[in-house]
Amino acid sequence: MYPHPTLINLSQSIINNKDRYEAHKKIKKDLASLCLDREFIYEALRGFLSDHKNLHNANYLAIPLLNSGDIIIQINLFCPIRDRAENITHDNIHHHGWRLLTTGVISGDGYETINFKRKSHEVRSGLTVKLEIDEIYRHSKNDIRFIDSFTPHVVFHNDSLSATLAIWSADQIIPSQNIKRIFHRFPQFQRLGASVLHRLNLNNFFGLNQLKGLYYHPEDGKIIETQNYCKPFDGNRVEILNCWFKFFEQINFTDADFWLHIKKSAPFEAKPLIDKLINGIAIDDIGIWGDQRRRFSKTQILQAINNSTSENIS
């Protein structure tokens, strides 16, 4: 993956700031500009697509642009659900552990989301948690949003595709993440090392982000911690590529010479999408079928939250 120089500079501005909250405040203006800068987006995507494996491995609604220790910058896609059900969760209620997130909308109408009060998931009885709603809002264009560490939230499927540019970092300097940056060229070694440390319960000592207690869902009128959460992919390659190319269409990333070059090594599912893109033929905004294990309604969530306000959870 070829990281755009602008992204490297942006990541360095966070890495070099001892106060990560201040760092995220400072990048808001830059992020707002980058969300509107089509030439920047095009060049960043060219860097991503220059690795031919990325189209073949498409199984997430995310396009990674930079990964450096605790710093992650990527494009996230928020799409319709195939059966067009309304107010269905894009994923379980979750938080990002010690990560801070600053995000802006690149294309589309944004998405509907619920943010819960920071660490309200820690008020619990057994697996039942007493989340408190902080804000329900639509994340839309020209609105840079910040989500604190350990802040549960949930996003709902859209009527049409939307894309954001998201920047994550730790909420403080973590020495192990500096070590991780040194070994950034050896991702398999990184994953193996992290897996061993988690198995030995040394993740807290080495400052690794938690793997458990991140996901929650409504069940029987309560919000409970999701056990054995698994997210191997967002959809199959046909679904995900369709979403990716719908995004490329939205931002007019249609350079025929570039795409004809990419087409030579593209998976067969991508080739008709490339043809549509360069010939100005509309790509259907069909979204994904979604995972039944991550399919919950806004009504279920709000009812469970309302139920919890009348109960004492100690």
Side-chain angles (χ1 to χ4, degrees), residues 188-200:
Q188 291 181 331
F189 176 80
Q190 287 182 11
R191 288 192 291 269
L192 176 62
S195 177
V196 170
L197 292 175
H198 279 294
R199 289 176 185 174
L200 295 175

mmCIF file with all atom_site columns, all heavy atoms in Angstrom, residues 188-200:
data_model
loop_
_atom_site.group_PDB
_atom_site.id
_atom_site.type_symbol
_atom_site.label_atom_id
_atom_site.label_alt_id
_atom_site.label_comp_id
_atom_site.label_asym_id
_atom_site.label_entity_id
_atom_site.label_seq_id
_atom_site.pdbx_PDB_ins_code
_atom_site.Cartn_x
_atom_site.Cartn_y
_atom_site.Cartn_z
_atom_site.occupancy
_atom_site.B_iso_or_equiv
_atom_site.pdbx_formal_charge
_atom_site.auth_seq_id
_atom_site.auth_comp_id
_atom_site.auth_asym_id
_atom_site.auth_atom_id
_atom_site.pdbx_PDB_model_num
ATOM 1   N N   . GLN A 1 188 ? 2.576  -9.733  9.125  1.00 0.00 ? 188 GLN A N   1
ATOM 2   C CA  . GLN A 1 188 ? 2.338  -11.060 9.668  1.00 0.00 ? 188 GLN A CA  1
ATOM 3   C C   . GLN A 1 188 ? 3.031  -11.223 11.012 1.00 0.00 ? 188 GLN A C   1
ATOM 4   O O   . GLN A 1 188 ? 2.486  -11.827 11.942 1.00 0.00 ? 188 GLN A O   1
ATOM 5   C CB  . GLN A 1 188 ? 2.812  -12.124 8.683  1.00 0.00 ? 188 GLN A CB  1
ATOM 6   C CG  . GLN A 1 188 ? 1.959  -12.205 7.420  1.00 0.00 ? 188 GLN A CG  1
ATOM 7   C CD  . GLN A 1 188 ? 2.438  -13.292 6.481  1.00 0.00 ? 188 GLN A CD  1
ATOM 8   O OE1 . GLN A 1 188 ? 3.621  -13.629 6.459  1.00 0.00 ? 188 GLN A OE1 1
ATOM 9   N NE2 . GLN A 1 188 ? 1.533  -13.839 5.698  1.00 0.00 ? 188 GLN A NE2 1
ATOM 10  N N   . PHE A 1 189 ? 4.242  -10.670 11.130 1.00 0.00 ? 189 PHE A N   1
ATOM 11  C CA  . PHE A 1 189 ? 4.959  -10.709 12.396 1.00 0.00 ? 189 PHE A CA  1
ATOM 12  C C   . PHE A 1 189 ? 4.206  -9.914  13.468 1.00 0.00 ? 189 PHE A C   1
ATOM 13  O O   . PHE A 1 189 ? 4.098  -10.331 14.617 1.00 0.00 ? 189 PHE A O   1
ATOM 14  C CB  . PHE A 1 189 ? 6.367  -10.146 12.216 1.00 0.00 ? 189 PHE A CB  1
ATOM 15  C CG  . PHE A 1 189 ? 7.164  -10.057 13.484 1.00 0.00 ? 189 PHE A CG  1
ATOM 16  C CD1 . PHE A 1 189 ? 7.792  -11.173 14.007 1.00 0.00 ? 189 PHE A CD1 1
ATOM 17  C CD2 . PHE A 1 189 ? 7.285  -8.839  14.153 1.00 0.00 ? 189 PHE A CD2 1
ATOM 18  C CE1 . PHE A 1 189 ? 8.523  -11.085 15.187 1.00 0.00 ? 189 PHE A CE1 1
ATOM 19  C CE2 . PHE A 1 189 ? 8.013  -8.752  15.329 1.00 0.00 ? 189 PHE A CE2 1
ATOM 20  C CZ  . PHE A 1 189 ? 8.639  -9.872  15.844 1.00 0.00 ? 189 PHE A CZ  1
ATOM 21  N N   . GLN A 1 190 ? 3.671  -8.749  13.073 1.00 0.00 ? 190 GLN A N   1
ATOM 22  C CA  . GLN A 1 190 ? 2.889  -7.925  14.001 1.00 0.00 ? 190 GLN A CA  1
ATOM 23  C C   . GLN A 1 190 ? 1.693  -8.701  14.528 1.00 0.00 ? 190 GLN A C   1
ATOM 24  O O   . GLN A 1 190 ? 1.427  -8.730  15.738 1.00 0.00 ? 190 GLN A O   1
ATOM 25  C CB  . GLN A 1 190 ? 2.405  -6.660  13.302 1.00 0.00 ? 190 GLN A CB  1
ATOM 26  C CG  . GLN A 1 190 ? 3.467  -5.619  13.037 1.00 0.00 ? 190 GLN A CG  1
ATOM 27  C CD  . GLN A 1 190 ? 2.877  -4.375  12.395 1.00 0.00 ? 190 GLN A CD  1
ATOM 28  O OE1 . GLN A 1 190 ? 1.656  -4.209  12.338 1.00 0.00 ? 190 GLN A OE1 1
ATOM 29  N NE2 . GLN A 1 190 ? 3.725  -3.514  11.896 1.00 0.00 ? 190 GLN A NE2 1
ATOM 30  N N   . ARG A 1 191 ? 0.934  -9.318  13.598 1.00 0.00 ? 191 ARG A N   1
ATOM 31  C CA  . ARG A 1 191 ? -0.280 -10.041 14.002 1.00 0.00 ? 191 ARG A CA  1
ATOM 32  C C   . ARG A 1 191 ? 0.047  -11.221 14.908 1.00 0.00 ? 191 ARG A C   1
ATOM 33  O O   . ARG A 1 191 ? -0.648 -11.478 15.892 1.00 0.00 ? 191 ARG A O   1
ATOM 34  C CB  . ARG A 1 191 ? -1.040 -10.508 12.757 1.00 0.00 ? 191 ARG A CB  1
ATOM 35  C CG  . ARG A 1 191 ? -1.721 -9.383  11.988 1.00 0.00 ? 191 ARG A CG  1
ATOM 36  C CD  . ARG A 1 191 ? -2.676 -9.930  10.958 1.00 0.00 ? 191 ARG A CD  1
ATOM 37  N NE  . ARG A 1 191 ? -1.989 -10.601 9.871  1.00 0.00 ? 191 ARG A NE  1
ATOM 38  C CZ  . ARG A 1 191 ? -1.598 -10.001 8.751  1.00 0.00 ? 191 ARG A CZ  1
ATOM 39  N NH1 . ARG A 1 191 ? -1.815 -8.712  8.592  1.00 0.00 ? 191 ARG A NH1 1
ATOM 40  N NH2 . ARG A 1 191 ? -0.988 -10.678 7.791  1.00 0.00 ? 191 ARG A NH2 1
ATOM 41  N N   . LEU A 1 192 ? 1.120  -11.944 14.583 1.00 0.00 ? 192 LEU A N   1
ATOM 42  C CA  . LEU A 1 192 ? 1.522  -13.089 15.405 1.00 0.00 ? 192 LEU A CA  1
ATOM 43  C C   . LEU A 1 192 ? 1.923  -12.628 16.797 1.00 0.00 ? 192 LEU A C   1
ATOM 44  O O   . LEU A 1 192 ? 1.504  -13.223 17.806 1.00 0.00 ? 192 LEU A O   1
ATOM 45  C CB  . LEU A 1 192 ? 2.685  -13.828 14.733 1.00 0.00 ? 192 LEU A CB  1
ATOM 46  C CG  . LEU A 1 192 ? 3.278  -15.010 15.528 1.00 0.00 ? 192 LEU A CG  1
ATOM 47  C CD1 . LEU A 1 192 ? 2.219  -16.077 15.740 1.00 0.00 ? 192 LEU A CD1 1
ATOM 48  C CD2 . LEU A 1 192 ? 4.494  -15.585 14.806 1.00 0.00 ? 192 LEU A CD2 1
ATOM 49  N N   . GLY A 1 193 ? 2.717  -11.561 16.877 1.00 0.00 ? 193 GLY A N   1
ATOM 50  C CA  . GLY A 1 193 ? 3.152  -11.052 18.167 1.00 0.00 ? 193 GLY A CA  1
ATOM 51  C C   . GLY A 1 193 ? 1.981  -10.594 19.020 1.00 0.00 ? 193 GLY A C   1
ATOM 52  O O   . GLY A 1 193 ? 1.909  -10.901 20.218 1.00 0.00 ? 193 GLY A O   1
ATOM 53  N N   . ALA A 1 194 ? 1.045  -9.876  18.415 1.00 0.00 ? 194 ALA A N   1
ATOM 54  C CA  . ALA A 1 194 ? -0.136 -9.393  19.146 1.00 0.00 ? 194 ALA A CA  1
ATOM 55  C C   . ALA A 1 194 ? -0.974 -10.565 19.630 1.00 0.00 ? 194 ALA A C   1
ATOM 56  O O   . ALA A 1 194 ? -1.475 -10.567 20.771 1.00 0.00 ? 194 ALA A O   1
ATOM 57  C CB  . ALA A 1 194 ? -0.961 -8.478  18.261 1.00 0.00 ? 194 ALA A CB  1
ATOM 58  N N   . SER A 1 195 ? -1.138 -11.583 18.788 1.00 0.00 ? 195 SER A N   1
ATOM 59  C CA  . SER A 1 195 ? -1.934 -12.754 19.160 1.00 0.00 ? 195 SER A CA  1
ATOM 60  C C   . SER A 1 195 ? -1.333 -13.471 20.367 1.00 0.00 ? 195 SER A C   1
ATOM 61  O O   . SER A 1 195 ? -2.045 -13.858 21.302 1.00 0.00 ? 195 SER A O   1
ATOM 62  C CB  . SER A 1 195 ? -2.028 -13.721 17.967 1.00 0.00 ? 195 SER A CB  1
ATOM 63  O OG  . SER A 1 195 ? -2.723 -14.894 18.320 1.00 0.00 ? 195 SER A OG  1
ATOM 64  N N   . VAL A 1 196 ? -0.013 -13.621 20.376 1.00 0.00 ? 196 VAL A N   1
ATOM 65  C CA  . VAL A 1 196 ? 0.662  -14.286 21.489 1.00 0.00 ? 196 VAL A CA  1
ATOM 66  C C   . VAL A 1 196 ? 0.475  -13.492 22.771 1.00 0.00 ? 196 VAL A C   1
ATOM 67  O O   . VAL A 1 196 ? 0.183  -14.053 23.839 1.00 0.00 ? 196 VAL A O   1
ATOM 68  C CB  . VAL A 1 196 ? 2.158  -14.472 21.170 1.00 0.00 ? 196 VAL A CB  1
ATOM 69  C CG1 . VAL A 1 196 ? 2.920  -14.928 22.409 1.00 0.00 ? 196 VAL A CG1 1
ATOM 70  C CG2 . VAL A 1 196 ? 2.339  -15.472 20.041 1.00 0.00 ? 196 VAL A CG2 1
ATOM 71  N N   . LEU A 1 197 ? 0.640  -12.176 22.704 1.00 0.00 ? 197 LEU A N   1
ATOM 72  C CA  . LEU A 1 197 ? 0.499  -11.339 23.901 1.00 0.00 ? 197 LEU A CA  1
ATOM 73  C C   . LEU A 1 197 ? -0.917 -11.387 24.454 1.00 0.00 ? 197 LEU A C   1
ATOM 74  O O   . LEU A 1 197 ? -1.116 -11.416 25.673 1.00 0.00 ? 197 LEU A O   1
ATOM 75  C CB  . LEU A 1 197 ? 0.902  -9.895  23.578 1.00 0.00 ? 197 LEU A CB  1
ATOM 76  C CG  . LEU A 1 197 ? 2.390  -9.682  23.268 1.00 0.00 ? 197 LEU A CG  1
ATOM 77  C CD1 . LEU A 1 197 ? 2.640  -8.248  22.842 1.00 0.00 ? 197 LEU A CD1 1
ATOM 78  C CD2 . LEU A 1 197 ? 3.255  -10.039 24.471 1.00 0.00 ? 197 LEU A CD2 1
ATOM 79  N N   . HIS A 1 198 ? -1.921 -11.405 23.571 1.00 0.00 ? 198 HIS A N   1
ATOM 80  C CA  . HIS A 1 198 ? -3.309 -11.517 24.043 1.00 0.00 ? 198 HIS A CA  1
ATOM 81  C C   . HIS A 1 198 ? -3.544 -12.862 24.710 1.00 0.00 ? 198 HIS A C   1
ATOM 82  O O   . HIS A 1 198 ? -4.205 -12.934 25.762 1.00 0.00 ? 198 HIS A O   1
ATOM 83  C CB  . HIS A 1 198 ? -4.281 -11.327 22.870 1.00 0.00 ? 198 HIS A CB  1
ATOM 84  C CG  . HIS A 1 198 ? -4.516 -9.893  22.506 1.00 0.00 ? 198 HIS A CG  1
ATOM 85  N ND1 . HIS A 1 198 ? -5.158 -9.006  23.349 1.00 0.00 ? 198 HIS A ND1 1
ATOM 86  C CD2 . HIS A 1 198 ? -4.196 -9.185  21.385 1.00 0.00 ? 198 HIS A CD2 1
ATOM 87  C CE1 . HIS A 1 198 ? -5.228 -7.814  22.769 1.00 0.00 ? 198 HIS A CE1 1
ATOM 88  N NE2 . HIS A 1 198 ? -4.650 -7.897  21.582 1.00 0.00 ? 198 HIS A NE2 1
ATOM 89  N N   . ARG A 1 199 ? -3.007 -13.920 24.138 1.00 0.00 ? 199 ARG A N   1
ATOM 90  C CA  . ARG A 1 199 ? -3.190 -15.255 24.719 1.00 0.00 ? 199 ARG A CA  1
ATOM 91  C C   . ARG A 1 199 ? -2.534 -15.373 26.086 1.00 0.00 ? 199 ARG A C   1
ATOM 92  O O   . ARG A 1 199 ? -3.009 -16.104 26.965 1.00 0.00 ? 199 ARG A O   1
ATOM 93  C CB  . ARG A 1 199 ? -2.625 -16.318 23.770 1.00 0.00 ? 199 ARG A CB  1
ATOM 94  C CG  . ARG A 1 199 ? -3.449 -16.524 22.513 1.00 0.00 ? 199 ARG A CG  1
ATOM 95  C CD  . ARG A 1 199 ? -2.785 -17.522 21.578 1.00 0.00 ? 199 ARG A CD  1
ATOM 96  N NE  . ARG A 1 199 ? -3.513 -17.637 20.322 1.00 0.00 ? 199 ARG A NE  1
ATOM 97  C CZ  . ARG A 1 199 ? -3.103 -18.350 19.286 1.00 0.00 ? 199 ARG A CZ  1
ATOM 98  N NH1 . ARG A 1 199 ? -1.965 -19.036 19.367 1.00 0.00 ? 199 ARG A NH1 1
ATOM 99  N NH2 . ARG A 1 199 ? -3.806 -18.402 18.178 1.00 0.00 ? 199 ARG A NH2 1
ATOM 100 N N   . LEU A 1 200 ? -1.425 -14.658 26.275 1.00 0.00 ? 200 LEU A N   1
ATOM 101 C CA  . LEU A 1 200 ? -0.717 -14.678 27.552 1.00 0.00 ? 200 LEU A CA  1
ATOM 102 C C   . LEU A 1 200 ? -1.258 -13.643 28.537 1.00 0.00 ? 200 LEU A C   1
ATOM 103 O O   . LEU A 1 200 ? -0.704 -13.464 29.618 1.00 0.00 ? 200 LEU A O   1
ATOM 104 C CB  . LEU A 1 200 ? 0.772  -14.429 27.314 1.00 0.00 ? 200 LEU A CB  1
ATOM 105 C CG  . LEU A 1 200 ? 1.522  -15.508 26.503 1.00 0.00 ? 200 LEU A CG  1
ATOM 106 C CD1 . LEU A 1 200 ? 2.955  -15.070 26.242 1.00 0.00 ? 200 LEU A CD1 1
ATOM 107 C CD2 . LEU A 1 200 ? 1.494  -16.848 27.232 1.00 0.00 ? 200 LEU A CD2 1
#
